Coordinates of all heavy atoms in Angstrom, one line a residue:
E11 N 95.9 80.4 119.6 CA 95.3 81.0 118.4 C 93.8 81.4 118.7 O 93.4 82.4 118.2 CB 95.3 80.0 117.2 CG 94.9 80.5 115.9 CD 95.0 79.6 114.7 OE1 95.6 78.5 114.9 OE2 94.5 79.9 113.7
R12 N 93.1 80.5 119.4 CA 91.7 80.8 119.8 C 91.7 82.1 120.6 O 90.8 83.0 120.4 CB 91.1 79.7 120.5 CG 89.7 79.9 120.9 CD 89.1 78.6 121.5 NE 87.9 78.9 122.3 CZ 86.7 79.2 121.8 NH1 86.6 79.3 120.5 NH2 85.7 79.5 122.5
A13 N 92.6 82.3 121.5 CA 92.6 83.5 122.4 C 92.8 84.7 121.6 O 92.2 85.7 121.8 CB 93.6 83.3 123.5
Q14 N 93.7 84.6 120.6 CA 94.0 85.7 119.7 C 92.8 86.1 118.9 O 92.5 87.3 118.8 CB 95.2 85.4 118.8 CG 95.6 86.6 118.0 CD 96.7 86.3 117.1 OE1 97.0 85.2 116.8 NE2 97.4 87.3 116.6
S15 N 92.1 85.2 118.4 CA 90.9 85.5 117.6 C 89.8 86.1 118.5 O 89.1 87.0 118.0 CB 90.4 84.3 116.8 OG 89.9 83.3 117.7
L16 N 89.7 85.6 119.7 CA 88.7 86.2 120.6 C 89.0 87.7 120.9 O 88.2 88.5 120.9 CB 88.6 85.4 121.9 CG 87.9 84.1 121.8 CD1 88.0 83.3 123.2 CD2 86.5 84.3 121.5
S17 N 90.3 88.0 121.2 CA 90.7 89.3 121.5 C 90.5 90.3 120.3 O 90.1 91.4 120.5 CB 92.1 89.4 122.1 OG 93.0 89.1 121.0
M18 N 90.7 89.7 119.2 CA 90.5 90.6 118.0 C 89.1 90.9 117.8 O 88.7 91.9 117.3 CB 91.1 89.9 116.7 CG 92.6 89.8 116.7 SD 93.2 88.9 115.3 CE 92.7 89.9 113.9
G19 N 88.2 89.9 118.2 CA 86.8 90.1 118.1 C 86.2 91.2 119.0 O 85.1 91.7 118.8
T20 N 87.0 91.5 120.1 CA 86.5 92.5 121.1 C 87.0 93.9 120.7 O 86.7 94.8 121.5 CB 87.0 92.1 122.5 OG1 88.4 92.1 122.5 CG2 86.5 90.8 122.9
R21 N 87.6 94.1 119.6 CA 88.1 95.4 119.2 C 86.9 96.3 119.0 O 85.9 96.0 118.3 CB 88.9 95.3 117.9 CG 89.6 96.6 117.6 CD 90.7 96.3 116.6 NE 91.2 97.5 116.0 CZ 92.2 98.2 116.6 NH1 92.7 97.8 117.7 NH2 92.7 99.3 116.0
K22 N 86.9 97.5 119.7 CA 85.7 98.4 119.6 C 86.1 99.6 118.7 O 87.2 100.1 118.7 CB 85.4 98.9 121.0 CG 84.9 97.8 121.9 CD 83.6 97.1 121.5 CE 83.2 96.1 122.4 NZ 82.1 95.3 121.9
K23 N 85.1 100.1 118.0 CA 85.3 101.3 117.2 C 84.6 102.5 117.8 O 83.4 102.4 118.1 CB 84.7 101.0 115.8 CG 85.4 99.9 115.0 CD 84.8 99.7 113.7 CE 85.6 98.7 112.9 NZ 85.3 98.7 111.5
V24 N 85.4 103.5 118.0 CA 84.9 104.7 118.7 C 85.1 105.9 117.7 O 86.1 106.1 117.2 CB 85.6 105.0 120.0 CG1 85.1 106.3 120.6 CG2 85.4 103.8 121.0
L25 N 84.0 106.7 117.5 CA 84.0 107.9 116.7 C 84.0 109.1 117.6 O 83.1 109.2 118.4 CB 82.8 107.9 115.7 CG 82.6 109.2 114.9 CD1 83.8 109.5 114.0 CD2 81.3 109.1 114.1
V26 N 85.0 110.0 117.5 CA 85.0 111.2 118.2 C 84.6 112.3 117.2 O 85.4 112.5 116.2 CB 86.4 111.5 118.9 CG1 86.4 112.8 119.6 CG2 86.7 110.4 119.9
L27 N 83.6 113.0 117.5 CA 83.2 114.1 116.6 C 83.7 115.4 117.1 O 83.4 115.8 118.3 CB 81.6 114.2 116.5 CG 81.0 113.0 115.8 CD1 79.5 113.1 115.9 CD2 81.5 112.8 114.4
G28 N 84.5 116.1 116.3 CA 85.2 117.3 116.7 C 86.6 117.1 117.1 O 87.0 116.0 117.5
S29 N 87.4 118.2 117.0 CA 88.8 118.1 117.3 C 89.3 119.3 118.2 O 90.4 119.7 118.1 CB 89.6 118.1 116.0 OG 89.3 119.3 115.2
G30 N 88.3 119.8 118.9 CA 88.7 121.0 119.8 C 89.4 120.5 121.1 O 89.9 119.4 121.2
Y31 N 89.4 121.4 122.1 CA 90.1 121.2 123.3 C 89.8 120.0 124.1 O 90.6 119.3 124.7 CB 90.0 122.4 124.2 CG 90.6 123.7 123.6 CD1 89.8 124.8 123.3 CD2 91.9 123.8 123.4 CE1 90.3 125.9 122.7 CE2 92.5 125.0 122.9 CZ 91.7 126.0 122.5 OH 92.2 127.1 122.0
V32 N 88.5 119.6 124.1 CA 88.1 118.4 124.9 C 88.5 117.1 124.2 O 88.7 116.1 124.9 CB 86.5 118.5 125.1 CG1 86.0 117.3 125.8 CG2 86.1 119.8 125.8
S33 N 88.7 117.1 122.9 CA 88.9 115.9 122.2 C 90.3 115.3 122.6 O 90.4 114.1 122.6 CB 88.8 116.1 120.7 OG 89.8 117.0 120.2
E34 N 91.3 116.1 122.8 CA 92.6 115.5 123.1 C 92.7 114.7 124.4 O 93.2 113.6 124.3 CB 93.7 116.6 123.1 CG 95.1 116.0 123.2 CD 96.2 116.8 122.7 OE1 96.0 118.0 122.2 OE2 97.4 116.4 122.9
P35 N 92.1 115.2 125.5 CA 92.1 114.3 126.7 C 91.3 113.0 126.4 O 91.7 111.9 126.9 CB 91.4 115.1 127.8 CG 91.6 116.5 127.3 CD 91.6 116.5 125.8
V36 N 90.2 113.1 125.6 CA 89.4 111.9 125.3 C 90.3 110.9 124.5 O 90.3 109.7 124.8 CB 88.2 112.3 124.5 CG1 87.5 111.0 124.0 CG2 87.2 113.1 125.4
L37 N 91.0 111.5 123.5 CA 91.9 110.6 122.7 C 93.0 110.0 123.5 O 93.4 108.8 123.3 CB 92.5 111.4 121.5 CG 91.4 111.9 120.5 CD1 92.1 112.7 119.4 CD2 90.7 110.8 119.9
E38 N 93.6 110.8 124.4 CA 94.7 110.3 125.2 C 94.2 109.1 126.0 O 94.8 108.1 126.2 CB 95.2 111.4 126.1 CG 96.5 111.0 126.9 CD 96.3 110.1 128.1 OE1 95.3 110.3 128.8 OE2 97.1 109.2 128.3
Y39 N 93.0 109.2 126.6 CA 92.4 108.2 127.4 C 92.1 106.9 126.6 O 92.4 105.8 127.0 CB 91.1 108.7 128.1 CG 90.4 107.6 129.0 CD1 90.9 107.3 130.2 CD2 89.3 107.0 128.5 CE1 90.3 106.3 131.0 CE2 88.7 106.0 129.3 CZ 89.2 105.7 130.5 OH 88.6 104.7 131.2
L40 N 91.4 107.1 125.5 CA 91.0 106.0 124.6 C 92.3 105.3 124.0 O 92.2 104.1 123.8 CB 90.1 106.5 123.5 CG 88.7 107.0 123.8 CD1 88.1 107.6 122.6 CD2 87.9 105.9 124.4
S41 N 93.3 106.0 123.8 CA 94.5 105.5 123.2 C 95.3 104.5 124.2 O 96.1 103.7 123.7 CB 95.5 106.6 122.8 OG 95.0 107.3 121.8
R42 N 94.9 104.5 125.4 CA 95.5 103.6 126.4 C 95.1 102.1 126.1 O 95.8 101.2 126.5 CB 95.1 104.0 127.8 CG 95.6 105.3 128.2 CD 95.0 105.6 129.6 NE 95.2 107.1 129.9 CZ 94.8 107.6 131.0 NH1 94.1 106.9 131.9 NH2 95.0 108.9 131.3
D43 N 94.0 101.9 125.4 CA 93.5 100.6 125.1 C 93.8 100.2 123.7 O 93.2 100.9 122.8 CB 92.0 100.5 125.5 CG 91.5 99.1 125.4 OD1 92.1 98.3 124.7 OD2 90.4 98.9 126.0
D44 N 94.6 99.3 123.4 CA 94.9 98.9 122.0 C 93.7 98.2 121.3 O 93.8 98.0 120.1 CB 96.1 97.9 122.0 CG 97.4 98.6 122.4 OD1 97.5 99.9 122.2 OD2 98.4 97.9 122.8
N45 N 92.7 97.8 122.1 CA 91.5 97.2 121.4 C 90.5 98.2 121.0 O 89.4 97.9 120.7 CB 90.9 96.2 122.4 CG 91.8 95.0 122.5 OD1 92.3 94.5 121.6 ND2 91.9 94.5 123.7
I46 N 90.9 99.5 121.0 CA 89.9 100.5 120.6 C 90.5 101.2 119.3 O 91.6 101.6 119.3 CB 89.7 101.6 121.6 CG1 89.1 101.0 122.9 CG2 88.9 102.8 121.1 CD1 88.9 102.0 124.0
E47 N 89.7 101.1 118.3 CA 90.0 101.8 117.0 C 89.3 103.2 117.0 O 88.1 103.2 117.1 CB 89.5 101.0 115.8 CG 89.8 101.6 114.5 CD 89.3 100.7 113.3 OE1 89.3 99.5 113.5 OE2 88.9 101.3 112.3
I48 N 90.1 104.2 116.9 CA 89.5 105.6 117.1 C 89.5 106.3 115.7 O 90.5 106.3 115.0 CB 90.4 106.4 118.0 CG1 90.6 105.7 119.3 CG2 89.8 107.8 118.2 CD1 91.8 106.3 120.2
T49 N 88.3 106.9 115.4 CA 88.1 107.7 114.3 C 87.7 109.1 114.8 O 86.9 109.2 115.7 CB 87.0 107.1 113.4 OG1 87.3 105.8 112.9 CG2 86.8 108.0 112.1
V50 N 88.3 110.1 114.2 CA 88.0 111.5 114.6 C 87.4 112.2 113.3 O 88.1 112.2 112.3 CB 89.2 112.3 115.1 CG1 88.8 113.7 115.4 CG2 89.8 111.6 116.3
G51 N 86.2 112.7 113.5 CA 85.6 113.5 112.4 C 85.6 115.0 112.7 O 85.1 115.3 113.8
S52 N 86.1 115.8 111.8 CA 86.2 117.2 112.1 C 86.4 118.0 110.8 O 86.9 117.4 109.8 CB 87.3 117.5 113.0 OG 87.5 118.9 113.2
D53 N 85.9 119.2 110.7 CA 86.2 120.1 109.6 C 87.4 120.9 109.8 O 87.7 121.8 108.9 CB 84.9 120.9 109.2 CG 84.6 121.9 110.3 OD1 85.1 121.8 111.4 OD2 83.7 122.7 110.0
M54 N 88.1 120.8 110.9 CA 89.3 121.6 111.2 C 90.5 120.7 110.8 O 91.1 120.0 111.6 CB 89.3 121.9 112.7 CG 88.1 122.7 113.2 SD 87.9 124.3 112.4 CE 89.2 125.2 113.2
S55 N 90.9 120.8 109.5 CA 91.9 119.9 109.0 C 93.3 120.1 109.8 O 94.0 119.1 110.0 CB 92.1 120.0 107.5 OG 92.4 121.4 107.2
N56 N 93.6 121.3 110.2 CA 94.9 121.5 110.8 C 94.9 120.8 112.2 O 95.9 120.2 112.7 CB 95.3 122.9 110.9 CG 94.3 123.8 111.6 OD1 93.1 123.4 111.7 ND2 94.7 125.0 112.1
Q57 N 93.8 120.9 112.9 CA 93.6 120.3 114.3 C 93.7 118.8 114.2 O 94.3 118.1 114.9 CB 92.3 120.7 115.0 CG 92.4 122.1 115.5 CD 91.1 122.5 116.2 OE1 90.0 121.8 116.0 NE2 91.1 123.6 116.9
I58 N 92.9 118.3 113.2 CA 92.9 116.8 113.1 C 94.2 116.2 112.7 O 94.6 115.1 113.1 CB 91.7 116.4 112.1 CG1 91.2 115.0 112.4 CG2 92.1 116.5 110.6 CD1 90.0 114.7 111.6
E59 N 95.0 117.0 111.9 CA 96.3 116.5 111.5 C 97.3 116.5 112.7 O 98.1 115.6 112.9 CB 96.9 117.4 110.4 CG 98.3 117.0 109.9 CD 98.3 115.6 109.3 OE1 97.3 115.1 108.8 OE2 99.4 115.0 109.3
Q60 N 97.2 117.5 113.6 CA 98.0 117.5 114.8 C 97.6 116.3 115.7 O 98.5 115.7 116.3 CB 97.8 118.8 115.5 CG 98.4 120.1 114.8 CD 99.8 119.9 114.5 OE1 100.6 119.5 115.4 NE2 100.2 120.3 113.3
L61 N 96.4 116.0 115.8 CA 95.9 114.9 116.6 C 96.4 113.6 116.0 O 96.8 112.6 116.7 CB 94.4 114.9 116.8 CG 93.8 116.0 117.6 CD1 92.3 116.0 117.5 CD2 94.3 115.9 119.0
R62 N 96.4 113.5 114.7 CA 96.9 112.3 114.0 C 98.3 112.0 114.2 O 98.8 110.9 114.3 CB 96.6 112.4 112.5 CG 96.9 111.1 111.7 CD 96.9 111.3 110.2 NE 98.0 112.1 109.8 CZ 99.3 111.8 109.8 NH1 99.7 110.6 110.1 NH2 100.2 112.6 109.3
K63 N 99.1 113.1 114.4 CA 100.6 113.0 114.6 C 100.8 112.4 116.0 O 101.8 111.7 116.3 CB 101.3 114.3 114.5 CG 101.4 114.7 113.0 CD 102.0 116.1 112.9 CE 102.0 116.6 111.5 NZ 102.6 117.9 111.4
K64 N 99.9 112.7 117.0 CA 100.1 112.3 118.4 C 99.5 111.0 118.7 O 99.9 110.3 119.6 CB 99.6 113.4 119.3 CG 100.4 114.7 119.3 CD 99.8 115.7 120.3 CE 100.2 115.4 121.7 NZ 99.8 116.4 122.7
Y65 N 98.4 110.7 118.1 CA 97.6 109.5 118.4 C 97.3 108.6 117.2 O 97.3 109.1 116.1 CB 96.2 109.9 119.0 CG 96.4 110.8 120.2 CD1 96.2 112.2 120.1 CD2 96.8 110.3 121.5 CE1 96.4 113.0 121.2 CE2 97.0 111.1 122.6 CZ 96.8 112.5 122.4 OH 97.0 113.3 123.5
N66 N 97.1 107.4 117.4 CA 96.8 106.4 116.4 C 95.3 106.5 116.0 O 94.5 105.8 116.6 CB 97.1 105.0 116.8 CG 96.9 104.0 115.7 OD1 96.8 104.4 114.5 ND2 96.8 102.8 116.0
I67 N 94.9 107.5 115.2 CA 93.5 107.7 114.8 C 93.3 107.6 113.3 O 94.2 107.7 112.5 CB 93.0 109.1 115.3 CG1 93.8 110.2 114.6 CG2 93.1 109.2 116.8 CD1 93.2 111.6 114.8
N68 N 92.0 107.4 113.0 CA 91.6 107.5 111.6 C 91.0 108.9 111.4 O 89.9 109.1 111.9 CB 90.6 106.4 111.2 CG 91.1 105.0 111.5 OD1 92.2 104.7 111.2 ND2 90.2 104.2 112.1
P69 N 91.7 109.8 110.8 CA 91.1 111.1 110.6 C 90.1 111.2 109.4 O 90.4 110.6 108.4 CB 92.3 112.0 110.3 CG 93.3 111.1 109.7 CD 93.1 109.7 110.3
V70 N 89.0 111.8 109.7 CA 88.0 112.0 108.6 C 87.6 113.4 108.6 O 87.1 114.0 109.5 CB 86.7 111.1 108.9 CG1 85.7 111.4 107.8 CG2 87.0 109.6 109.0
S71 N 88.0 114.1 107.4 CA 87.6 115.5 107.3 C 86.2 115.6 106.8 O 85.9 115.1 105.7 CB 88.6 116.1 106.2 OG 88.3 117.4 106.1
M72 N 85.4 116.3 107.6 CA 84.0 116.4 107.2 C 83.3 117.5 108.0 O 83.7 117.8 109.1 CB 83.2 115.1 107.4 CG 83.2 114.7 108.9 SD 82.2 113.1 109.1 CE 80.6 113.7 108.7
D73 N 82.3 118.1 107.4 CA 81.5 119.1 108.1 C 80.3 118.3 108.6 O 79.4 118.0 107.8 CB 81.1 120.2 107.1 CG 80.3 121.3 107.8 OD1 79.6 121.0 108.8 OD2 80.4 122.5 107.4
I74 N 80.2 118.1 109.9 CA 79.2 117.3 110.5 C 77.8 117.8 110.2 O 76.9 117.1 110.0 CB 79.4 117.2 112.0 CG1 80.8 116.5 112.3 CG2 78.3 116.5 112.7 CD1 81.3 116.7 113.7
C75 N 77.6 119.1 110.2 CA 76.3 119.7 110.0 C 75.8 119.7 108.5 O 74.6 119.7 108.2 CB 76.3 121.2 110.4 SG 76.6 121.3 112.2
K76 N 76.8 119.6 107.6 CA 76.4 119.7 106.1 C 76.5 118.3 105.4 O 76.0 118.2 104.3 CB 77.3 120.7 105.4 CG 77.1 122.1 105.9 CD 77.9 123.1 105.2 CE 77.7 124.5 105.7 NZ 78.6 125.4 105.1
Q77 N 77.1 117.3 106.0 CA 77.3 116.1 105.4 C 76.6 114.9 106.2 O 77.2 114.0 106.6 CB 78.8 115.8 105.2 CG 79.5 116.7 104.3 CD 81.0 116.5 104.2 OE1 81.7 116.7 105.2 NE2 81.5 116.0 103.1
E78 N 75.3 115.1 106.2 CA 74.5 114.1 107.1 C 74.6 112.7 106.6 O 74.7 111.8 107.4 CB 73.1 114.6 107.1 CG 72.8 115.8 107.9 CD 71.4 116.2 107.9 OE1 70.5 115.4 107.8 OE2 71.1 117.5 108.0
E79 N 74.7 112.5 105.3 CA 74.7 111.1 104.8 C 76.1 110.5 105.2 O 76.1 109.3 105.6 CB 74.6 111.1 103.3 CG 74.3 109.7 102.7 CD 74.0 109.7 101.2 OE1 73.3 110.7 100.8 OE2 74.4 108.8 100.5
K80 N 77.2 111.2 105.0 CA 78.5 110.7 105.3 C 78.6 110.4 106.8 O 79.1 109.4 107.3 CB 79.6 111.7 104.9 CG 81.0 111.3 105.2 CD 82.0 112.3 104.6 CE 83.4 111.8 104.8 NZ 84.4 112.8 104.2
L81 N 78.0 111.3 107.6 CA 78.0 111.2 109.1 C 77.2 109.9 109.5 O 77.6 109.1 110.3 CB 77.4 112.4 109.8 CG 77.2 112.3 111.3 CD1 78.5 112.2 112.0 CD2 76.5 113.6 111.8
G82 N 76.0 109.7 108.9 CA 75.2 108.6 109.1 C 75.9 107.3 108.8 O 75.9 106.3 109.6
F83 N 76.6 107.2 107.7 CA 77.4 106.1 107.3 C 78.5 105.8 108.3 O 78.7 104.6 108.7 CB 78.0 106.3 105.9 CG 78.8 105.2 105.4 CD1 78.2 104.0 105.0 CD2 80.2 105.3 105.3 CE1 79.0 102.9 104.5 CE2 81.0 104.2 104.9 CZ 80.4 103.0 104.4
L84 N 79.2 106.8 108.7 CA 80.3 106.7 109.7 C 79.8 106.2 111.0 O 80.4 105.3 111.6 CB 81.0 108.1 109.8 CG 82.4 108.1 110.3 CD1 83.3 107.2 109.5 CD2 82.9 109.5 110.3
V85 N 78.7 106.8 111.5 CA 78.1 106.5 112.8 C 77.7 105.0 112.8 O 77.9 104.3 113.8 CB 77.0 107.4 113.2 CG1 76.2 106.9 114.4 CG2 77.5 108.8 113.5
A86 N 77.1 104.5 111.7 CA 76.6 103.2 111.7 C 77.6 102.1 111.9 O 77.3 101.0 112.3 CB 75.9 103.0 110.3
K87 N 78.9 102.4 111.6 CA 80.0 101.5 111.7 C 80.6 101.5 113.1 O 81.5 100.7 113.3 CB 81.1 101.8 110.7 CG 80.6 101.6 109.2 CD 81.7 101.7 108.2 CE 82.5 103.0 108.3 NZ 83.6 103.0 107.3
Q88 N 80.2 102.3 114.0 CA 80.8 102.5 115.3 C 80.1 101.8 116.4 O 78.9 101.5 116.3 CB 80.9 104.0 115.7 CG 81.5 104.9 114.6 CD 82.9 104.5 114.2 OE1 83.8 104.3 115.0 NE2 83.1 104.5 112.9
D89 N 80.9 101.5 117.5 CA 80.3 100.9 118.7 C 79.9 102.1 119.7 O 79.0 101.9 120.5 CB 81.3 100.0 119.4 CG 81.6 98.8 118.6 OD1 80.6 98.0 118.3 OD2 82.7 98.6 118.2
L90 N 80.6 103.2 119.6 CA 80.4 104.3 120.4 C 80.7 105.6 119.7 O 81.6 105.7 118.9 CB 81.3 104.2 121.7 CG 81.2 105.4 122.7 CD1 79.9 105.5 123.4 CD2 82.4 105.3 123.7
V91 N 79.9 106.6 119.9 CA 80.1 108.0 119.3 C 80.2 109.0 120.4 O 79.3 109.0 121.3 CB 79.0 108.3 118.3 CG1 79.2 109.7 117.7 CG2 78.9 107.3 117.2
I92 N 81.2 109.8 120.4 CA 81.4 110.8 121.4 C 81.4 112.2 120.7 O 82.1 112.4 119.8 CB 82.8 110.6 122.2 CG1 82.8 109.3 122.9 CG2 83.0 111.8 123.2 CD1 84.1 108.9 123.5

């Protein structure tokens, strides 16, 4: 039980900004580790939906340039932003 709680504590949160061509190889790589919780922020809802079907991600529809407060809130909860 102790080992399980320790492994749960090491779960990392990664935010990927954008859903273009580079994001899919990044998601494929990150998805190899079950201890990584992946969030993808993008204003391209069709692209983000396709990625959601292939990978275990938390999709967030947003315009990064126009929603600074939402972006700041999202970034503050992450361990890494790509």
Side-chain angles (χ1 to χ4, degrees):
E11 186 176 351
R12 179 173 162 75
Q14 184 180 18
S15 65
L16 285 174
S17 66
M18 289 175 65
T20 61
R21 189 163 171 84
K22 298 296 181 188
K23 294 183 177 195
V24 177
L25 171 63
V26 177
L27 296 175
S29 58
Y31 294 113
V32 177
S33 64
E34 188 158 355
V36 170
L37 294 177
E38 191 281 323
Y39 179 78
L40 293 173
S41 295
R42 297 176 192 175
D43 187 338
D44 290 336
N45 287 320
I46 297 177
E47 180 182 325
I48 307 165
T49 300
V50 178
S52 174
D53 63 348
M54 304 294 289
S55 56
N56 57 339
Q57 286 180 344
I58 205 169
E59 181 60 25
Q60 292 302 315
L61 292 171
R62 188 193 64 75
K63 289 177 183 176
K64 290 180 79 172
Y65 304 101
N66 182 22
I67 63 168
N68 302 318
V70 177
S71 181
M72 62 179 294
D73 185 328
I74 295 163
C75 297
K76 294 180 181 174
Q77 294 178 291
E78 290 180 28
E79 192 173 326
K80 185 175 183 179
L81 176 63
F83 178 74
L84 201 55
V85 167
K87 298 191 299 182
Q88 308 302 314
D89 294 300
L90 176 68
V91 178
I92 300 174

